[in-house]
């Protein structure tokens, strides 16, 4: 058979180097050259690079780091030592909130007029202004690559993937067009990130591992079924029922837990990615197999005799030692000491955040979700401390799930609550309230989840930290040195917060923050139905819940991880309020969203939170006035809503899962190397192999 080898993938161009020194004496030695390198890299990079960590190698272009194409590849050069450095605080000398080109609705039942881009108002010299302008350019560049025909879509596929599209591609494209899908090839990147390692496994092993798992969905003859009554399985089955008639035979193993389960060692995944890259080729159209194989009932195919690796489920805690094996061997997560004591005020080591931040604010959101360069996060997020459940394996097998960490190896589906659209996650009734009718404040309500918090570890939990640092009384007492914070740190002076400089930080935060727990979620409840907790009672009060529809009466909505990803995120994006997002979790839609264009990113330490809010709300003090940026906030909020209504609909989930399962069926097929869709190349057949 004739064919061409695909270009070498950037997935396997791994870097290695010495680990970063951990002692302060070593850091000082590297201070001057490191600061010079970091500033040079920033000021000599393009907006796309600053926002996305862009790569131009191979056939994967702008998303390699920025949108998590390969979380197992080293996203940064760990030989660059990071260190502390102050960042300039620069403001525009004039307010950007004095004019508007936006006509808004006068009632909450009428959809708002499309917003003027936030970048039109972000004209100042604050760091956030620049990040917003960069995001606008990145978004415009992404949209410029939209395919408007089947031929363009196929060409974009071959350019980015290094293979022919899978069988059924034409039907998939036509289905997508009937759903008015935005056809940008980048939007499917998560599929190839998830499936690429499986090209290194035998198809028979993939198929057996899938049907040999207890919780699964089976598709035969265009009909999907499952023997599981688990509610997540039922919801995913409902989704697949809507496209089952277009799908080939296959079996899907499902993760029923909140927490992810697969952490294959980085070294093994690296080998799989290298092997997968060697399979990239453009088979001569005359030799292409354009039909999927028909499968016998689960357990009756020839793969039943295939030897598969044992799963050997690990249940030890904390989860950090398990999770970090998915990081590169020279990464700080692999080389740093493992924490064992979580009963002290957590250490927040800001130098670890420098690779994904610019002057104190997140400039590469996807990199910020990757903990491999951030070993201090092992003591700042409950998933790494004590998850509710742990059942992890080193074995790679095709398990589907709704979210995962950067190092996990599940295949992502849209989360069940997104498809189910429950009111508690969407708050649809109030999602369209015009911006001008909202309170100029922040609201957050939630349960003290994130894992199993105990008297000896709750200080390491992210939700406890975020609630505490928005408590006006705690901030005021910390400012006066009456009581030091026990689970957060005060803002760095480098942010130059005017409220803090005037000793009014607590008072200022108290004006706009409405942030509380509704349940302290004790590891061992004192009585049935209790919402209090003896070991956190002295530090937190419990407030009444606020329905999602009522939360949308506020302009600003922080989104904080719980046991895993936050199920509210899609509801926030679909609203006219502004989501402020910090997370360590990856989801199916990540490559469709641009930070600072559709939402506001926040570091997982939350140290930038106060600076973000000062930028948007401003500050009117006794000595200093800082202008707010209300029109900028409105522009991002409405841009996020408009974009979510275009690319995060249930129709988009259908089209995403349809394409995902075509690719999964191909990689599971015995003749996968020859399989593809090449109708567009038939007319070129005489010249193809010359």
């Amino acid at each position: 058979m004739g064919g061409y080898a695909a270009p070498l993938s950037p997935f396997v161009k791994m870097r290695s180097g010495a680990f970063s020194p951990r002692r302060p004496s070593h850091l000082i030695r590297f201070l001057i050259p490191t600061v010079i390198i970091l500033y040079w890299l920033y000021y000599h990079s393009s907006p796309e690079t600053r926002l996305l960590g862009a790569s131009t190698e191979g056939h994967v272009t702008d998303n390699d780091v920025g949108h998590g194409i390969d979380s197992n590849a080293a996203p940064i050069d760990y030989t660059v030592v990071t260190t502390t450095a102050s960042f300039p605080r620069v403001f525009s000398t004039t307010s950007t909130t004095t004019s508007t080109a936006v006509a808004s609705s006068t009632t909450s039942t009428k959809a708002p007029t499309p917003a003027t881009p936030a970048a039109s108002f972000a004209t100042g010299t604050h760091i956030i202004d620049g990040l917003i302008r960069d995001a606008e350019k990145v978004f415009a560049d992404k949209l410029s690559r939209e395919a408007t025909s089947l031929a363009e879509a196929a060409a974009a596929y071959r350019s980015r993937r290094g293979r022919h599209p899978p069988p059924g591609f034409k039907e998939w494209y036509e289905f997508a067009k009937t759903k008015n899908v935005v056809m940008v090839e980048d939007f499917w990147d998560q599929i190839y990130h998830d499936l690429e390692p499986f090209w290194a496994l035998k198809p028979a092993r993939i198929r057996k591992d899938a049907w040999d798992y207890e919780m699964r969905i089976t598709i035969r003859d265009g009909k999907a079924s499952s023997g599981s009554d688990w509610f997540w399985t039922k919801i995913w089955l409902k989704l697949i029922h809507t496209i089952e008639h277009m799908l080939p035979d296959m079996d899907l193993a499902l993760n029923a837990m909140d927490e992810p389960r697969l952490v294959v060692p980085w070294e093994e995944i690296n080998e799989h990615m290298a092997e997968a890259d060697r399979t990239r080729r453009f088979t001569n159209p005359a030799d292409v197999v354009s039909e999927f194989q028909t499968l016998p009932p689960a357990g009756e195919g020839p793969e039943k005799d295939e030897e598969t690796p044992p799963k050997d489920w690990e249940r030890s805690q904390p989860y950090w030692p398990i999770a970090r094996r998915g990081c590169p061997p020279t990464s700080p997560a692999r080389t740093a000491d493992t924490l064992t004591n979580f009963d002290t005020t957590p250490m927040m080591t800001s130098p670890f955040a420098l690779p994904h931040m610019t002057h104190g604010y997140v400039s590469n959101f996807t990199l910020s979700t990757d903990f491999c360069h951030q070993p201090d996060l092992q003591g700042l997020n409950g998933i790494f401390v004590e998850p509710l459940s742990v059942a992890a394996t080193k074995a790679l097998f095709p398990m589907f799930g709704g979210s995962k960490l950067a190092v996990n190896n599940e295949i992502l589906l849209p989360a069940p609550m997104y498809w189910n659209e429950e009111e508690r996650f969407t708050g649809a009734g109030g999602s369209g309230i015009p911006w001008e009718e909202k309170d100029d404040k922040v609201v957050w309500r939630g349960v003290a989840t994130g894992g199993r918090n105990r008297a000896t570890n709750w200080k390491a939990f992210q939700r406890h930290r975020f609630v505490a640092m928005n408590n006006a009384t705690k901030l005021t007492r910390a400012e006066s040195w009456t009581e030091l914070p026990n689970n957060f740190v005060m803002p760095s002076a480098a942010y130059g917060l005017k409220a803090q400089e005037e000793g009014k930080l607590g008072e200022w935060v108290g004006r706009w923050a409405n942030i509380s727990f509704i349940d302290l979620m004790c590891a061992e409840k004192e009585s049935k139905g209790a919402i209090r907790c003896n070991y956190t009672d002295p530090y937190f009060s419990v407030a009444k819940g606020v329905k999602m529809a009522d939360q949308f009466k506020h302009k600003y909505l922080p989104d904080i991880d719980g046991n895993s990803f936050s199920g509210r995120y899609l509801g926030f994006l679909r609203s006219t309020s502004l989501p402020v997002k910090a997370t360590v979790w990856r989801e199916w839609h990540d490559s469709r969203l641009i930070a600072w264009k559709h939402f506001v990113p926040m570091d997982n330490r939350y140290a930038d939170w106060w600076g973000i809010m000062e930028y948007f709300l401003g500050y009117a003090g006794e000595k200093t006035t800082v202008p707010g940026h209300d029109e900028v906030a409105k522009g991002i909020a409405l841009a996020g809503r408009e974009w979510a209504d275009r690319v995060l609909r249930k129709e988009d989930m259908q089209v995403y899962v349809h394409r995902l399962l075509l690719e999964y069926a191909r990689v599971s097929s015995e003749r996968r190397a020859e399989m593809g869709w090449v109708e567009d190349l038939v007319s070129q057949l005489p010249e193809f192999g010359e």
Side-chain angles (χ1 to χ4, degrees):
M1 291 183 292
Y4 296 101
L8 183 63
S9 168
F11 293 163
V12 295
K13 294 179 185 286
M14 308 302 176
R15 295 173 177 176
S16 61
F19 59 87
S20 303
R22 292 194 296 267
R23 295 199 303 271
S25 59
H26 288 177
L27 287 175
I28 292 172
R29 187 173 61 192
F30 290 98
L31 176 61
I32 295 175
T34 298
V35 171
I36 293 172
I37 290 171
L38 290 172
Y39 274 78
W40 187 92
L41 286 174
Y42 175 75
Y43 286 110
H44 289 78
S45 64
S46 66
E48 290 83 357
T49 302
R50 292 197 294 270
L51 273 166
L52 299 176
S55 167
T56 56
E57 298 178 278
H59 42 259
V60 179
T61 54
D62 66 316
N63 283 344
D64 288 11
V65 175
H67 285 296
I69 289 298
D70 182 27
S71 60
N72 289 289
I76 54 177
D77 187 347
Y78 293 118
T79 61
V80 176
V81 183
T82 58
T83 185
T84 56
S86 63
F87 37 86
R89 171 192 173 85
V90 186
F91 286 100
S92 171
T93 56
T94 60
S95 172
T96 62
T97 62
T98 57
S99 64
T100 177
V102 181
S104 297
S105 309
T106 57
T107 67
S108 59
T109 58
K110 183 179 178 181
T113 301
T116 300
S120 299
F121 301 106
T123 58
T125 55
H126 192 286
I127 299 304
I128 290 177
D129 289 320
L131 293 171
I132 292 170
R133 293 193 294 267
D134 286 352
E136 191 69 36
K137 295 174 185 176
V138 171
F139 182 62
D141 179 66
K142 188 181 289 284
L143 281 188
S144 71
R145 298 194 292 274
E146 182 177 2
T148 57
S149 68
L150 175 60
E152 288 183 8
Y157 182 102
R158 292 187 179 97
S159 175
R160 197 165 182 84
R161 311 302 171 196
R163 295 187 177 93
H164 292 306
F169 185 79
K170 180 180 179 180
E171 292 74 17
W172 170 82
Y173 177 86
E174 292 173 345
F175 175 67
K177 295 309 288 184
T178 66
K179 301 297 184 181
N180 296 315
V181 164
V182 180
M183 192 64 64
V184 176
E185 183 59 30
D186 308 32
F187 291 174
W188 323 106
D189 284 346
Q190 188 65 51
I191 293 173
Y192 302 92
H193 167 272
D194 294 345
L195 291 180
E196 200 68 15
F198 291 95
W199 283 89
L201 305 185
K202 294 172 59 177
R205 169 181 164 180
I206 297 173
R207 296 196 305 275
K208 181 176 180 180
D209 268 334
W211 60 248
D212 198 30
Y213 192 71
E214 61 270 15
M215 186 172 292
R216 67 178 186 271
I217 290 174
T218 294
I219 303 172
R220 295 291 187 276
D221 299 322
K223 298 292 182 182
S225 61
S226 178
S228 170
D229 289 330
W230 184 247
F231 72 105
W232 280 15
T233 304
K234 289 182 176 180
I235 297 171
W236 275 323
L237 186 59
K238 288 179 182 178
L239 189 167
I240 292 174
H241 274 321
T242 67
I243 57 173
E244 61 187 356
H245 58 288
M246 298 180 284
L247 298 176
D249 295 351
M250 67 186 82
D251 298 287
L252 288 70
L254 302 174
N255 180 15
M257 294 168 48
D258 281 349
E259 300 82 4
R261 307 187 69 178
L262 308 185
V263 191
V264 184
W266 182 92
E267 293 83 348
E268 185 176 331
I269 287 293
N270 195 33
E271 292 175 2
H272 288 334
M273 296 300 284
E275 178 60 31
D277 192 74
R278 287 189 283 271
T279 69
R280 293 174 184 268
R281 58 187 298 111
F282 296 110
T283 303
N284 190 312
D287 300 318
V288 166
V289 176
S290 59
E291 300 291 335
F292 286 102
Q293 67 187 91
T294 300
L295 298 180
E300 297 182 14
E303 69 273 1
K304 65 180 182 295
D305 298 321
E306 181 75 20
E307 291 290 332
T308 59
K311 303 298 184 293
D312 294 331
W313 299 106
E314 305 160 86
R315 304 185 185 276
S316 60
Q317 303 215 36
Y319 185 64
W320 178 260
I322 294 174
R324 72 175 185 171
R325 70 177 177 232
C327 295
T330 58
S331 66
R334 286 278 292 270
T335 58
D337 295 334
T338 300
L339 296 178
T340 56
N341 180 11
F342 302 102
D343 196 20
T344 60
T345 301
M347 293 185 64
M348 299 182 200
T349 313
S350 57
F352 292 127
L354 289 179
H356 62 259
M357 300 187 81
T358 297
H359 303 319
Y361 297 97
V362 173
S363 55
N364 187 328
F365 178 70
T366 301
L367 189 59
S368 77
T369 69
D370 188 339
F371 64 83
C372 289
H373 65 288
Q374 306 178 77
D376 58 327
L377 292 189
Q378 65 178 298
L380 298 174
N381 196 297
I383 183 65
F384 301 125
V385 179
E386 188 173 350
L388 288 182
S389 54
V390 175
T393 180
K394 296 179 180 179
L396 179 63
F397 75 100
M399 170 175 276
F400 290 76
S403 67
K404 62 180 178 180
L405 301 172
V407 299
N408 293 120
N409 305 103
E410 278 86 350
I411 303 165
L412 290 182
L413 292 165
M417 58 277 292
Y418 291 160
W419 180 259
N420 222 32
E421 294 189 328
E422 297 177 43
E423 196 279 336
R424 65 190 176 113
F425 292 118
T426 63
S431 62
I433 299 172
W435 181 263
E436 290 77 9
E437 295 181 13
K438 297 173 183 282
D439 291 334
D440 208 21
K441 295 182 178 180
V442 175
V443 67
W444 185 90
R445 286 291 187 278
V447 178
T449 56
R452 184 169 284 103
N453 76 81
R454 303 179 185 276
T456 56
N457 69 13
W458 67 267
K459 295 174 184 176
F461 279 60
Q462 68 275 9
R463 288 190 167 185
H464 292 77
R465 179 168 73 260
F466 189 73
V467 171
M469 61 189 283
N470 283 281
N471 183 291
T473 301
K474 291 182 184 296
L475 291 171
T476 299
R477 292 177 66 82
E479 285 182 294
S480 64
W481 294 90
T482 304
E483 179 183 338
L484 295 180
N486 51 26
N487 68 332
F488 69 94
V489 296
M490 293 291 282
S492 166
Y495 281 96
L497 298 176
K498 297 306 178 184
Q500 186 179 26
E501 291 176 1
E502 293 186 0
K504 302 289 187 180
L505 182 64
E507 178 183 320
W508 174 65
V509 171
R511 296 175 197 165
W512 47 261
N514 180 6
I515 295 173
S516 297
F517 284 129
I518 61 171
D519 186 333
L520 294 182
M521 203 69 181
C522 259
E524 297 180 4
K525 289 190 177 290
E526 298 170 38
S527 61
K528 186 176 181 179
I531 60 174
R532 309 297 305 181
C533 192
N534 61 349
Y535 51 83
T536 49
D537 259 351
Y539 308 102
F540 300 97
S541 59
V542 173
K544 291 183 178 179
V546 178
K547 291 183 178 181
M548 279 278 283
D550 292 328
Q551 291 184 34
F552 294 146
K553 296 175 182 177
H554 300 71
K555 288 183 177 179
Y556 302 95
L557 302 177
D559 195 38
I560 308 300
D561 290 341
N563 293 332
S564 61
F565 76 104
S566 168
R568 312 178 214 190
Y569 188 35
L570 181 55
F572 285 179
L573 286 166
R574 286 176 173 172
S575 78
T576 51
S577 296
L578 179 60
V580 182
K581 178 74 169 176
T583 187
V584 294
W585 298 93
R586 301 283 174 86
E587 299 185 64
W588 74 278
H589 54 232
D590 289 347
S591 61
R592 299 171 179 234
L593 299 170
I594 303 295
W596 297 112
K597 168 64 179 178
H598 302 123
F599 67 97
V600 171
M602 180 168 61
D603 181 61
N604 280 294
R605 296 161 189 81
Y606 314 145
D608 49 343
W609 166 247
W610 299 288
I612 289 169
M613 295 314 301
E614 186 187 68
Y615 171 83
F616 287 118
L617 292 175
Y619 173 71
E622 297 175 358
K623 303 176 182 178
T624 309
T625 298
V626 177
H629 294 79
D630 187 72
E631 288 293 347
V632 178
K634 176 182 177 180
I636 299 174
L638 298 192
R641 174 184 170 88
E642 292 165 9
W643 191 236
D645 286 343
R646 289 190 66 191
V647 302
L648 300 181
R649 307 163 300 154
K650 294 183 77 170
E651 293 88 344
D652 297 295
M653 299 179 203
Q654 289 176 301
V655 173
Y656 182 91
V657 174
H658 184 184
R659 178 149 164 184
L660 167 65
L661 296 185
L662 290 180
E663 296 285 14
Y664 171 65
R666 174 164 67 171
V667 79
S668 306
S669 298
E670 292 298 329
R671 301 192 65 184
R672 63 189 182 186
E674 294 85 35
M675 293 178 71
W677 178 83
V678 292
E679 289 180 26
D680 60 325
L681 299 179
V682 170
S683 62
Q684 305 173 33
L685 185 57
E687 296 85 12
F688 188 83
E690 294 181 0

